[in-house]
Amino acid sequence: MHALPLTQDALLEAIGEAASAHGTEAYLVGGFVRDRLLGREGKDIDLLTVGDDGTDLLASVARRFGWAPPQRFERFGTGQVRGGGFIVEVVRARAESYDAASRKPDVRPGSLEEDIWRRDFTVNALCQTLAGRVIDVTGRGLDDLRDGVLRTPLDPEQTFSEDPLRMFRAARFTAQLGFAAAPGLVDAMRSMATRSEILSAERVAEEIRRLLLSDDPRAGLEMLRDGGLLAMWFPELEAMIGIEQGGFHVYDVFDHSTHTTAGVSRDLVSRLAGLLHDVGKPPTHAVDDSGKHTFYDHPGVGAALSAALLTRLRFSNDIAERVALLVRHHLRPIQYRPEEWSDAAVRRLVRDIGDERERLLDLARADTRASSFPTTEAIDDLERRMERLDAGGALSRMRPPLDGHEITALAGRAPGPWVGRAQRALEEAVLDGGLAPGDAQAARRWLEEHAELLRD
């Protein structure tokens, strides 16, 4: 018989008993309290202790459930235990003062009130006793939570100056929670945007990741735009604003891109590709003699810009490469016409996009829906043709039918550049339908029939 899974209520009861046994003054704080009051059950439980660091409390909880002993993170002044799908983290109440040239504060132990007032937003400054009583130190948190308002406990410029990452958190919470900015909040972001220069790329990238994976990434991106942070950190996106497109488009490049972002599947590569698919349009924008807006080679230019931007923000090479691949090829499914594309053209797209086929088609549909183009039926037809021509996935994982050793043995000559040319010719024969993928015997016969490839 399996033990029942640990519930949040049972864990909170154990924390309360441990705090009582050790005489620890402890409170539930932060996003856990906010989400709990919104009816969202979380697995990350944040505790604030006054007077001690909470290590004994955590150790008792860990022993109670047979978890590993607490970990201490001295750099952040926190302790943590994990188990049963939960993370319980404790930090001691503190007061802080900041040097204008740094994000690193001068820290000393503080009271509950001092700790609460230094927090980022009133809805995150709510706390609860372990018995469940809500404490609203700022006097605004409960009202702001009810009204869906994002407000700083102190003057917003002071709050953002002390920790400029809070401006990115404001955009992220707007996207995640659907909250509106309090009067003056975005103005303060704009005033303090240059302060964000002291942030690390990794911290900013993590906030962008969480924003993009939220329910409403458009709202967060618009706050970054209005708060001056796009210009500071993403000049490639800032450049999209106001670029007209014409044709089937009803938005400028930036608004079109935010709609596309919201329209793709909720995974990081897809959301980044949606955001960046037209990043090559501003530098390639021109208006021809007839007044038509043109963006020649914007997918190729955009792929290079995407890779550079994501590398600058310390995203992994794998993510940067996948996003750049999608940006490079994003226009091809949209340009597909069933009566004009040969099977060979479809095979080439299958080969070129590899494992990203599903994301590419998803991006193409979102791109289309973010314009006034009437239908995605052609993309649906393309998907069916791709599936039919690549039954078993041989094309999307395509390799030359013969390796270099087999080709040199067949030719009876030393290796050289001619081997690569022969392999490319074999690959083209597969794409044209003259050879089945992976049929080595047929590939040998084909090369014997095209003996010039073995001699040149």
Side-chain angles (χ1 to χ4, degrees), residues 300-316:
V301 172
L305 288 173
S306 297
L309 185 157
L310 295 174
T311 299
R312 189 174 75 234
L313 288 179
R314 307 290 194 270
F315 283 94
S316 71

Side-chain angles (χ1 to χ4, degrees), residues 191-447:
S191 296
M192 302 306 299
T194 56
R195 173 73 170 149
S196 70
E197 290 176 330
I198 66 173
L199 297 174
S200 71
E202 291 85 354
R203 297 290 299 282
V204 171
E206 175 59 17
E207 289 299 324
I208 295 301
R209 181 190 70 80
R210 297 171 76 176
L211 184 159
L212 290 177
L213 295 178
S214 68
D215 289 340
D216 188 7
R218 286 191 60 237
L221 292 165
E222 289 168 355
M223 179 176 276
L224 292 178
R225 175 197 63 195
D226 297 341
L229 291 165
L230 278 190
M232 286 294 303
W233 283 86
F234 312 100
E236 300 92 339
L237 300 182
E238 176 81 4
M240 296 177 176
I241 299 170
I243 300 292
E244 297 181 24
Q245 303 187 82
F248 284 106
H249 286 284
V250 292
Y251 304 113
D252 70 7
V253 177
F254 179 78
D255 285 337
H256 167 74
S257 298
T258 62
H259 278 87
T260 303
T261 303
V264 294
S265 298
R266 195 184 299 195
D267 73 84
L268 184 58
V269 170
S270 293
R271 289 278 167 100
L272 285 168
L275 180 61
L276 298 172
H277 76 283
D278 276 347
V279 73
K281 281 190 170 179
T284 60
H285 181 220
V287 181
D288 65 18
D289 293 339
S290 67
K292 178 183 177 182
H293 294 271
T294 64
F295 306 93
Y296 294 120
D297 193 32
H298 81 267
V301 172
L305 288 173
S306 297
L309 185 157
L310 295 174
T311 299
R312 189 174 75 234
L313 288 179
R314 307 290 194 270
F315 283 94
S316 71
N317 290 339
D318 178 67
I319 288 176
E321 289 167 4
R322 287 173 181 268
V323 172
L325 181 70
L326 290 165
V327 171
R328 180 174 293 108
H329 296 293
H330 80 270
L331 210 54
R332 290 170 72 180
I334 295 173
Q335 294 172 331
Y336 170 76
R337 300 293 178 269
E339 68 281 1
E340 297 175 6
W341 278 45
S342 66
D343 283 351
V346 176
R347 289 190 192 98
R348 283 179 172 81
L349 179 54
V350 170
R351 184 269 316 269
D352 292 344
I353 200 61
D355 293 337
E356 298 303 316
R357 184 197 311 179
E358 184 177 344
R359 283 194 178 104
L360 179 70
L361 295 172
D362 181 44
L363 174 60
R365 290 186 177 100
D367 190 1
T368 300
R369 291 171 182 142
S371 68
S372 59
F373 198 82
T375 179
T376 61
E377 287 182 3
I379 299 170
D380 299 337
D381 183 85
L382 173 61
E383 182 173 30
R384 289 189 291 270
R385 280 183 77 181
M386 294 171 97
E387 290 173 352
R388 174 172 59 82
L389 293 170
D390 191 32
L395 285 173
S396 55
R397 300 187 301 271
M398 195 166 118
R399 298 290 183 272
L402 298 175
D403 65 26
H405 295 297
E406 291 172 305
I407 293 174
T408 55
L410 185 64
R413 57 182 291 204
W418 65 274
V419 175
R421 290 193 292 270
Q423 287 184 315
R424 287 190 293 274
L426 283 170
E427 190 172 296
E428 289 299 312
V430 171
L431 294 172
D432 288 333
L435 280 176
D439 190 336
Q441 187 174 354
R444 291 188 190 93
R445 288 197 303 269
W446 189 90
L447 274 180

Side-chain angles (χ1 to χ4, degrees), residues 156-157 160 166-168 170-171 184-194 223-224 226-229:
E157 288 196 10
F160 295 150
R166 289 166 173 167
M167 294 184 282
F168 286 95
L185 188 84
V186 175
D187 291 338
M189 290 173 65
R190 201 158 42 243
S191 296
M192 302 306 299
T194 56
M223 179 176 276
L224 292 178
D226 297 341
L229 291 165

Side-chain angles (χ1 to χ4, degrees), residues 58-181:
L58 291 180
S60 291
V61 172
R63 286 193 299 271
R64 168 86 170 263
F65 296 108
W67 297 349
Q71 291 180 288
R72 290 293 306 173
F73 303 96
E74 297 301 337
R75 178 183 173 190
F76 302 105
T78 62
Q80 184 185 101
V81 290
R82 295 170 175 253
F86 290 91
I87 300 174
V88 182
E89 185 166 280
V90 64
V91 62
R92 180 159 62 177
R94 61 189 187 179
E96 298 178 348
S97 59
Y98 285 79
D99 185 314
S102 172
R103 281 191 68 245
K104 296 180 180 179
D106 178 31
V107 180
R108 60 174 175 79
S111 65
L112 171 67
E113 290 75 16
E114 286 176 314
D115 191 280
I116 291 300
W117 279 107
R118 71 176 181 79
R119 290 179 176 260
D120 53 5
F121 303 106
T122 57
V123 295
N124 294 334
L126 293 167
C127 60
Q128 283 183 298
T129 66
L130 294 175
R133 180 172 63 87
V134 177
I135 302 173
D136 186 0
V137 172
T138 69
R140 304 292 295 268
L142 286 172
D143 288 342
D144 287 342
L145 191 67
R146 182 196 63 224
D147 297 336
V149 174
L150 207 59
R151 185 192 318 274
T152 56
L154 302 174
D155 175 78
E157 288 196 10
Q158 177 185 343
T159 298
F160 295 150
S161 177
E162 289 179 350
D163 184 354
L165 192 69
R166 289 166 173 167
M167 294 184 282
F168 286 95
R169 286 168 59 83
R172 193 242 297 177
F173 288 134
T174 297
Q176 287 181 329
L177 302 173
F179 284 12

